[in-house]
C-alpha cells in the first residue's frame, strides 16, 4: 500500500470565499503514483469546508446567498459569548460538508463531468489548511 | 491491497427520483472479494447525490418535500443566466451529500439496522453514473 | 495493509444529545498501529450522525437550535403514518452527516486546531452504535 500526504495553505482576503482546488488535487494524485485508491480532501478547520460542485460563477454566488439564508451571519449565537463572531461560519460549513473522497482509477481522479473540488472559507483572513491524504497502490 | 471499481448507470423518468442501490452495493462488495476495507459510493454528477437512510416511502416523500422547502425550484438563481434551470438541484444535492463510505467487515457491508443506500436524482431524464470504489484486503 | 474495527455503544438519556468521541477515536487509532491511513467513523443508525466541529457548549446549543429550525420536530411527517414519531431525526442527521473520515499521519489523527469528533443523537433512549473502521499501514 502506498500513502501520500499534502497540505494546502490558504489565507483569503474576504470572510467568505470559495477557491477551486481541483488542479492541486489532480497534481497530488499524480505525485502519489497511486493507480487505484482513494483521495481524501479535508478542511482542517471548523469554519471552512470542502465540496464538489460546478465551477460556474453564478452558481457559486447562489450557494453563498443560499447559505446566508440557511445560516445567517449577524445573529446572536450563543457561541458569541466566547468573544467569537463566527457562529454562522460553523453552521455554514456543516451544510457544505468539510470533506470529500475522490476515487482514483488508472492513476487519475475518477471525476464525472463538471465535478470540481472547492475549498469553502467562511471565516477568512486567517491561516488555514487543507489536507490531501491518498492511499492505494 | 485489493481494489474494485464498478459504475451504475441511471436515466430516471422523473426530474426528482430516489433509487435504492443497496443490493448493487452489496453485490459489488461480494464481487470485490475484499474482507476488510472501505466501500466508497459517489454520484459522479453535480445535480445528484448518494445518501444512507430508511427505505420507507413516507420518509422518502418527506425528504423530497423538505428539500424543496430548503432549496426551492423555480427561483431566479444566477446559475440560470447560463441557460440552465437546475440551480435547485445543485443545492439539494449539497444538503443530501454526494458520497457515502461503507465499512466492510468479514466480507460484508457493515450496516446498522435500517441503513439503506440511495441514489438521489435532482435533475433527471439524463444519463448519470454512480461509482463504487472498494479498497481493502 | 492493516485494518482495525471498533464499535462504540450509546444509550442517551435525552432525545437529542451530542457526545464528544474524540478520545475514543484517538485511542482506536493508537490501538490499530496504523501509521498512515484513513479512519472512518460512522453512525450505524439512520436517526443519528457523526460530525467534526468545536467542543464549545454555546456552539453545541446553537447547532441544536438551528437544526430544530431547519428540520422541526412535531410536524406531520408522512413517516409518522408508520407509527414512528422521529421524522425530524431522520432529516436532522442528513444535514449534520452520518460519517467522517479522519486522515492518519505518523500514527496520529491528523486534526487541525479545534477539530473534535461528535456523535449526534436525534432519537435517543435507544441502543445505538458507532463503527470506527481504520485501514492503512
Amino acid at each position: 500500500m502506498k500513502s501520500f500526504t499534502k497540505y494546502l495553505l490558504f489565507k483569503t482576503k474576504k470572510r467568505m470565499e470559495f477557491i477551486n482546488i481541483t488542479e492541486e488535487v489532480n497534481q497530488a494524485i499524480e505525485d502519489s503514483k497511486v493507480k487505484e485508491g482513494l483521495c481524501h480532501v479535508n478542511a482542517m478547520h471548523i469554519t471552512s469546508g470542502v465540496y464538489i460542485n460546478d465551477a460556474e460563477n453564478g452558481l457559486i454566488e447562489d450557494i453563498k446567498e443560499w447559505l446566508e439564508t440557511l445560516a445567517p451571519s449577524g445573529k446572536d449565537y450563543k457561541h458569541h459569548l466566547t468573544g467569537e463572531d463566527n457562529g454562522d461560519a460553523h453552521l455554514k460549513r456543516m451544510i457544505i460538508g468539510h470533506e470529500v473522497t475522490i476515487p482514483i482509477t488508472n492513476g487519475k481522479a475518477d471525476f464525472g463531468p463538471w465535478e470540481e473540488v472547492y475549498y469553502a472559507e467562511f471565516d477568512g483572513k486567517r491561516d488555514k489548511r487543507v489536507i490531501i491524504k491518498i492511499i492505494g497502490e
Side-chain angles (χ1 to χ4, degrees), chain A:
Chain A
M1 206 200 80
K2 285 195 189 88
S3 69
F4 180 88
T5 309
K6 189 175 177 179
Y7 303 93
L8 309 178
L9 306 179
F10 301 93
K11 189 170 185 174
T12 62
K13 286 185 184 155
K14 292 186 210 156
R15 190 159 188 271
M16 180 155 35
E17 198 171 324
F18 294 1
I19 297 167
N20 192 326
I21 57 171
T22 313
E23 206 172 299
E24 286 82 352
V25 170
N26 284 331
Q27 188 61 52
I29 291 172
E30 193 180 324
D31 293 347
S32 76
K33 315 257 190 251
V34 166
K35 297 301 174 199
E36 296 292 325
L38 296 174
C39 172
H40 174 77
V41 185
N42 176 345
M44 302 180 76
H45 301 263
I46 52 186
T47 51
S48 53
V50 170
Y51 72 87
I52 290 179
N53 217 313
D54 205 347
E56 197 277 301
N57 285 334
L59 181 70
I60 289 170
E61 289 311 306
D62 290 330
I63 295 171
K64 287 178 183 171
E65 286 176 22
W66 175 67
L67 290 173
E68 187 59 31
T69 315
L70 293 185
S73 57
K75 276 188 63 178
D76 279 341
Y77 293 107
K78 294 198 173 93
H79 183 50
H80 294 176
L81 297 173
T82 62
E84 289 284 359
D85 67 350
N86 59 8
D88 68 300
H90 288 275
L91 303 182
K92 285 182 171 97
R93 92 84 164 238
M94 298 195 95
I95 292 178
I96 285 292
H98 80 281
E99 63 175 48
V100 299
T101 299
I102 300 148
I104 302 170
T105 306
N106 293 326
K108 288 192 185 306
D110 205 337
F111 286 129
W114 312 110
E115 285 195 294
E116 303 268 342
V117 189
Y118 274 84
Y119 172 68
E121 176 63 79
F122 299 113
D123 187 25
K125 307 176 191 175
R126 300 179 180 198
D127 292 311
K128 302 279 188 100
R129 287 190 303 163
V130 160
I131 182 169
I132 303 175
K133 174 73 73 172
I134 295 168
I135 66 171
E137 66 177 7

